[in-house]
Amino acid sequence: MQIRPTSRLGAVAALAAALLVGCAGQGNGDSGGTPGEKRSTPPPSTSHPTADTPSGNGRSWEPDDALQRAQRALDAYADDGTDPELVDSDTSYIASGADKTYAAPGDRPYRLDITCDTRGVDELTLTLSRGEDEQAYGIGCGDPEADQFNIPSGTSFKIGVDPVKDGTGLVLWRLSTIAPDDVEGCDDDITACED
């Protein structure tokens, strides 16, 4: 059996009409699945940043996901051969910053592991202080490993993270004591050792 040219034109016209009806429905808010079926919510607007807006590195920033990424950065040192004893761990949103004072009893040095996960902020300023001594550091946000700082035991010390007003993100830290032999690098990052 042979198809006549006029039948082919009719089939092409019917296919084109079906495609046009499907495309026209999508422009009017149809879901594209069943004709006449409306979306339950309008598509998100990209003119205003939301938690779903991709961050500068191409991923969406969600608090739960950010917390998991920050936790992985802190856990990157889990197998570093030290046997840290947890003193405290805490989280703060970058819009409020952080301001916490710790007593430093005992004879084991302290290690602060700290990281941040943000949308559009590459670095936060951490300030370590004890009495008149104070030292500021930049902590990289979104790094796969947390930044580490050593603080000797003895008198209390303070950690502070400058707030980023209207910023989206969090800072997560863990304070532990470690054996004196496990201190790597400077033994007191508050007074800042000379290189």
Side-chain angles (χ1 to χ4, degrees):
M1 179 174 153
Q2 193 174 28
I3 299 177
R4 294 189 306 215
T6 55
S7 297
R8 284 186 194 153
L9 288 175
V12 169
L15 180 61
L19 287 174
L20 287 174
V21 169
C23 291
Q26 289 199 14
N28 293 327
D30 288 350
S31 65
T34 307
E37 180 182 306
K38 299 287 183 184
R39 290 184 184 180
S40 59
T41 58
S45 169
T46 56
S47 60
H48 301 288
T50 66
D52 295 330
T53 302
S55 62
N57 56 13
R59 68 174 184 247
S60 294
W61 195 94
E62 291 287 341
D64 291 339
D65 295 339
L67 186 60
Q68 289 178 12
R69 286 189 297 267
Q71 190 67 48
R72 283 193 298 269
L74 288 180
D75 291 342
Y77 297 108
D79 297 326
D80 67 354
T82 63
D83 188 21
E85 292 179 11
L86 182 65
V87 174
D88 185 40
S89 64
D90 208 346
T91 306
S92 179
Y93 286 105
I94 65 170
S96 57
D99 185 7
K100 198 153 186 181
T101 300
Y102 289 102
D107 55 2
R108 288 171 54 103
Y110 289 77
R111 185 179 76 193
L112 175 68
D113 299 332
I114 187 166
T115 189
C116 47
D117 194 288
T118 64
R119 181 176 63 219
V121 178
D122 294 329
E123 186 177 270
L124 297 179
T125 301
L126 165 71
T127 303
L128 300 174
S129 59
R130 175 189 282 130
E132 299 295 317
D133 294 323
E134 183 176 282
Q135 201 62 237
Y137 295 94
I139 22 176
C141 297
D143 291 346
E145 294 181 346
D147 291 304
Q148 289 187 329
F149 301 93
N150 297 312
I151 303 156
S153 62
T155 57
S156 63
F157 63 92
K158 180 178 172 181
I159 69 168
V161 176
D162 292 348
V164 178
K165 298 297 182 192
D166 301 322
T168 300
L170 54 82
V171 58
L172 180 67
W173 68 91
R174 183 183 296 156
L175 182 68
S176 305
T177 60
I178 57 176
D181 292 343
D182 290 333
V183 174
E184 292 184 9
C186 181
D187 63 351
D188 187 352
D189 283 311
I190 295 176
T191 59
C193 301
E194 295 291 329
D195 289 336

